[in-house]
């Protein structure tokens, strides 16, 4: 059987599917500047123009302080709960094989694709006084809808995918060899979890926590329906920004938005620093050993 000889092709060494580094870098920075940096820079410039008196006047408002306290507290608690639940879901997805596993894996990403307002309406329908769960919880004294507890549940809902997707690849790479070795040496399940698994998962857990916290801090759509939006009680900071804009209090809105932006930016810096810190610690441990 004869074969056709392919024409010789020029050597592809050094060729890249995209144009050279300079052009790719320029296009990338241009898009990043237009989409991300320019709006954020405009907010930073407006916030810097408020001056110290403007900042103090905006932040010392009791209503602003109440909304910031609620947003930071609820986001912090929700990120912690999402991290714990996300680690458990990731463990089940990685370590077990069962019918419907792929469907469960796909459902984890649903909060990413679902419009947040739809999630808020669905949660409110479930936890309201006549909802599927609210009709049982409220007579027992557990008020979820139109209360801070509802805000936390909404933030856990949108933060869970971050926790799962950051822990899942680490568990897949970890394998079972270290666990089996620890078990063969007589370690209990708790000791294996504490001494073998958690140290490996800790950077991913912290990264998922930071992502969930940053997302929850600025979340709006899934919260406003279930929060009730009562000033000083269940009013979150992103909603107060909208109210300030509707009242033509642009300086007040800018001050609150700048605070949320700064907090989110610090979270992202922490996310980037976490892998480097743990890598440095491991190098020192190997050096000491």
């Amino acid at each position: 059987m004869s074969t056709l000889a392919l024409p010789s092709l020029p050597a592809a060494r050094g060729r890249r599917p995209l144009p050279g580094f300079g052009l790719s870098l320029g296009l990338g920075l241009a898009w990043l500047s237009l989409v991300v940096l320019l709006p954020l820079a405009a907010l930073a410039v407006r916030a810097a123009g408020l001056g110290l008196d403007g900042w103090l006047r905006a932040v010392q408002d009791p209503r602003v302080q109440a909304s910031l306290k609620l947003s930071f507290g609820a986001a912090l608690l929700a990120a912690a709960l999402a991290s714990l639940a996300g680690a458990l879901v990731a463990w089940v997805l990685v370590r077990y094989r069962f019918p419907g596993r792929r469907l469960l894996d796909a459902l984890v990403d649903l909060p990413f694709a679902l419009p947040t307002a739809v999630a808020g309406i669905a949660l409110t329908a479930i936890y309201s006084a006549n909802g599927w769960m609210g009709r049982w919880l409220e007579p027992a004294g557990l008020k979820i809808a139109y209360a801070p507890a509802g805000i936390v549940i909404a933030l856990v809902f949108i933060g869970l995918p971050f926790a799962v997707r950051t822990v899942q690849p680490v568990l897949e790479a970890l394998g079972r060899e270290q666990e089996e070795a620890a078990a063969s040496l007589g370690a209990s399940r708790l000791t294996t979890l504490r001494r073998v698994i958690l140290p490996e998962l800790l950077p991913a857990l912290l990264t998922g926590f930071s992502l969930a916290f940053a997302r929850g801090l600025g979340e709006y759509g899934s919260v406003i329906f279930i929060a009730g939006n009562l000033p000083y009680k269940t009013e979150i900071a992103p909603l107060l920004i909208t109210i300030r804009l509707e009242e033509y209090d642009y300086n007040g809105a800018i001050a609150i938005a700048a605070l949320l932006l700064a907090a989110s930016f610090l979270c992202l810096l922490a996310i980037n620093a976490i892998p480097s810190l743990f890598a440095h610690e491991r190098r020192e441990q190997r050096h000491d050993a």
Side-chain angles (χ1 to χ4, degrees), residues 73-93:
L76 195 64
L77 179 58
L81 295 175
S83 299
L84 293 175
L88 182 60
V89 172
W91 178 272
V92 170
L93 289 174

Side-chain angles (χ1 to χ4, degrees), residues 81-137:
L81 295 175
S83 299
L84 293 175
L88 182 60
V89 172
W91 178 272
V92 170
L93 289 174
V94 173
R95 294 305 170 87
Y96 300 103
R97 297 293 181 268
F98 53 90
R101 175 177 165 273
R102 291 183 179 276
L103 177 61
L104 180 61
D105 195 16
L107 286 176
V108 170
D109 294 327
L110 189 59
F112 282 148
L114 191 69
T116 55
V118 176
I121 293 172
L123 292 173
T124 306
I126 293 172
Y127 291 105
S128 61
N130 56 352
W132 290 351
M133 299 185 68
R135 68 178 62 181
W136 303 103
L137 294 175

Side-chain angles (χ1 to χ4, degrees), residues 134-159:
R135 68 178 62 181
W136 303 103
L137 294 175
E138 290 207 8
L142 297 175
K143 184 174 177 58
I144 303 298
Y146 315 124
I151 299 173
V152 174
I153 289 178
L155 298 184
V156 171
F157 177 81
I158 58 100

Side-chain angles (χ1 to χ4, degrees), residues 201-237:
L201 293 184
L202 191 55
L205 286 173
L206 292 176
T207 300
F209 173 85
S210 301
L211 287 171
F213 176 73
R215 172 66 192 275
L217 199 56
E219 177 61 18
Y220 180 83
S222 64
V223 176
I224 56 171
F225 294 104
I226 199 171
N229 308 321
L230 295 175
Y232 305 99
K233 294 182 179 178
T234 59
E235 187 178 56
I236 58 173

